[in-house]
C-alpha cells in the first residue's frame, strides 16, 4: 500500500494486449499520481504506443484493467475518456487541417470548457471566442501569434505539432499523454516546446513517450523502460539507465542520449 498522499490519476493493472500470436504489451502495471511528469522509453516495437493506446482506450486490453481517477475505464471509448480529462497527442499530428490556427485553439477551448452541441460549436461559438484571453495567451505562449490566421494544412510539421500540444494544454486535462512530441522537430522548435513543457511541471500530470531521452531527462521525475512488451525498469532516470537489463536492451538509445559511459 502506497503512502504517497497525492491523488492517483491513472492506474494500469496487469494489462496485456496481443496481436494474433504477438504479445505487444505483457502484464504491465503502472501508476501515475497528480503532477507526476513521467516518461516511457524502449526500443522500436517495445510496446510503448500500444500501451498508450490501452491507457487512452484505442484498444481494449485482453487482460487487466485501467482506472482513471479511481474509475474503471477499461471498457470506455476514447472520446469518453477525453471528457473525463485524459488527452493525448499522436506521433502523426491530429489537428483540424482545413481550419485556421486560432479556430483550432477555439475548438479546443470550447470543447473543454463549454461543451456545446456540434452546430453551435461551428456556427455560433467559434467566432466569438477568437479573442478569449485563454486563446490569446496560448497563441503567445506557443509562439503561434504570427500564424494565427494561417490554415493548418499550410503549416510545417513543427508548427502543427506545436499547435496540437497547445490545443491539449489549453484544455488543461487531468492527464496529458504525449506520443513522441519531439519527433521531426528542428532544434529551435524542440527547445521551445521543452520550455513550455517544463513550465507545466508541478501543474499538470504528463506522460511522455520519447526517443530523445537526452532532451527530456532533466525534467522527467520518473522513467519506465519497456522491452518486448514488458516493463524492465522503473524509477528515477539515472537509476533506470544503470539497470543491467536496460543497458543490454536499450544501449543504442541510451548512447544517443549521451549515456555512452554508463552503458558501454
Ligand atoms: N495493430 C497492430 N497489429 C499487429 N501488430 C501490431 C499492431 N500494433 C503494434 N503491433 C506490434 O506490436 C509490437 C509493439 O508495437 P508498438 O508500436 O506498441 O511499439 P513501440 O514501442 O511504440 O515502437 P516504436 O518505437 O517503433 O513506435 C510491435 O511488434 C508491433 O509490430
Amino acid at each position: 500500500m502506497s503512502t504517497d498522499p497525492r491523488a492517483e490519476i491513472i492506474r494500469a493493472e496487469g494489462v496485456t494486449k496481443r496481436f494474433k500470436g504477438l504479445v505487444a504489451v505483457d502484464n504491465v502495471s503502472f501508476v501515475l499520481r497528480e503532477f507526476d511528469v513521467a516518461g516511457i522509453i524502449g526500443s522500436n516495437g517495445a510496446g510503448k504506443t500500444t500501451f498508450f493506446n490501452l491507457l487512452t482506450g484505442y484498444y481494449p486490453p485482453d487482460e487487466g484493467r485501467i482506472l482513471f481517477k479511481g474509475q474503471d475505464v477499461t471498457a470506455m471509448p476514447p472520446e469518453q475518456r477525453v471528457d473525463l480529462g485524459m488527452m493525448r497527442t499522436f506521433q502523426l499530428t491530429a489537428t483540424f487541417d482545413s481550419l485556421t490556427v486560432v479556430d483550432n485553439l477555439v475548438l479546443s477551448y470550447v470543447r473543454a470548457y463549454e461543451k456545446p452541441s456540434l452546430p453551435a460549436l461551428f456556427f455560433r461559438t467559434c467566432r466569438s471566442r477568437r479573442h478569449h484571453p485563454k486563446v490569446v495567451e496560448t497563441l503567445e505562449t506557443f509562439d503561434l501569434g504570427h500564424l494565427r490566421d494561417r490554415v493548418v494544412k499550410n503549416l510545417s510539421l513543427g508548427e502543427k505539432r506545436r499547435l496540437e500540444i497547445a490545443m491539449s494544454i489549453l484544455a488543461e486535462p487531468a492527464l496529458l499523454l504525449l506520443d513522441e512530441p519531439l519527433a521531426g522537430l528542428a532544434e529551435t522548435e524542440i527547445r521551445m516546446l521543452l520550455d513550455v513543457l517544463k513550465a507545466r511541471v508541478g501543474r499538470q500530470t504528463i506522460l511522455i513517450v520519447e526517443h530523445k531521452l537526452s532532451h527530456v531527462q532533466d525534467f522527467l521525475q520518473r522513467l519506465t523502460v519497456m522491452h518486448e512488451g514488458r516493463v524492465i525498469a522503473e524509477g528515477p532516470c539515472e537509476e533506470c539507465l544503470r539497470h543491467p537489463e536496460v543497458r543490454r536492451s536499450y544501449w543504442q538509445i541510451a548512447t544517443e542520449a549521451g549515456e555512452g559511459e554508463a552503458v558501454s
Side-chain angles (χ1 to χ4, degrees), residues 25-261:
V25 170
D26 188 0
N27 192 24
V28 168
S29 293
F30 179 84
V31 176
L32 269 189
R33 292 181 181 278
E34 194 169 31
F35 305 144
D36 272 341
V37 177
I40 301 183
I41 60 169
S43 45
N44 289 337
K48 307 177 296 289
T49 298
T50 305
F51 183 57
F52 246 50
N53 286 332
L54 294 172
L55 294 179
T56 50
Y58 286 82
Y59 298 134
D62 294 307
E63 283 155 35
R65 57 180 200 148
I66 311 280
L67 292 107
F68 184 60
K69 296 194 275 185
Q71 179 179 352
D72 190 333
V73 296
T74 314
M76 190 180 277
E79 58 278 12
Q80 279 181 33
R81 297 189 200 200
V82 172
D83 287 340
L84 290 182
M86 189 191 294
M87 201 158 278
R88 75 171 285 181
T89 64
F90 292 84
Q91 277 178 29
L92 302 170
T93 54
T95 44
F96 300 99
D97 285 0
S98 56
L99 299 181
T100 60
V101 166
V102 70
D103 282 346
N104 269 267
L105 290 173
V106 167
L107 285 180
S108 180
Y109 169 80
V110 171
R111 168 136 211 240
Y113 297 102
E114 300 181 4
K115 305 198 189 318
S117 69
L118 207 56
L121 189 61
F122 282 102
F123 298 116
R124 179 171 54 76
T125 327
C126 263
R127 191 165 302 181
S128 64
R129 297 294 183 273
R130 283 180 188 151
H131 297 284
H132 189 285
K134 258 188 172 303
V135 172
V136 173
E137 185 197 323
T138 307
L139 282 167
E140 270 169 32
T141 307
F142 283 83
D143 193 22
L144 290 166
H146 62 296
L147 300 169
R148 184 181 187 283
D149 297 315
R150 184 83 60 87
V151 174
V152 170
K153 67 175 170 234
N154 298 324
L155 298 181
S156 70
L157 173 67
E159 291 163 345
K160 265 176 97 165
R161 199 180 297 275
R162 223 154 73 210
L163 171 62
E164 192 191 20
I165 294 175
M167 288 167 70
S168 307
I169 287 181
L170 171 64
E172 294 186 8
L175 173 61
L176 179 61
L177 301 118
L178 303 171
D179 195 358
E180 295 199 31
L182 308 180
L185 300 194
E187 267 308 313
T188 47
E189 289 174 323
I190 288 177
R191 276 199 297 276
M192 207 236 110
L193 207 51
L194 287 175
D195 285 345
V196 173
L197 291 177
K198 281 176 189 165
R200 305 302 299 172
V201 172
R203 297 163 64 192
Q204 187 130 41
T205 312
I206 303 177
L207 180 60
I208 305 179
V209 165
E210 184 52 60
H211 274 296
K212 292 177 177 146
L213 184 59
S214 57
H215 285 118
V216 289
Q217 201 170 349
D218 61 333
F219 75 102
L220 287 183
Q221 298 155 337
R222 249 181 64 202
L223 195 61
T224 297
V225 187
M226 293 185 71
H227 182 60
E228 296 178 351
R230 290 180 304 113
V231 171
I232 57 169
E234 192 155 38
C237 292
E238 297 72 33
E239 222 170 84
C240 281
L241 293 173
R242 278 199 301 270
H243 191 286
E245 202 174 346
V246 175
R247 292 169 61 153
R248 266 198 305 278
S249 69
Y250 196 62
W251 68 272
Q252 296 98 324
I253 292 175
T255 302
E256 180 197 306
E259 294 291 326
E261 303 84 347

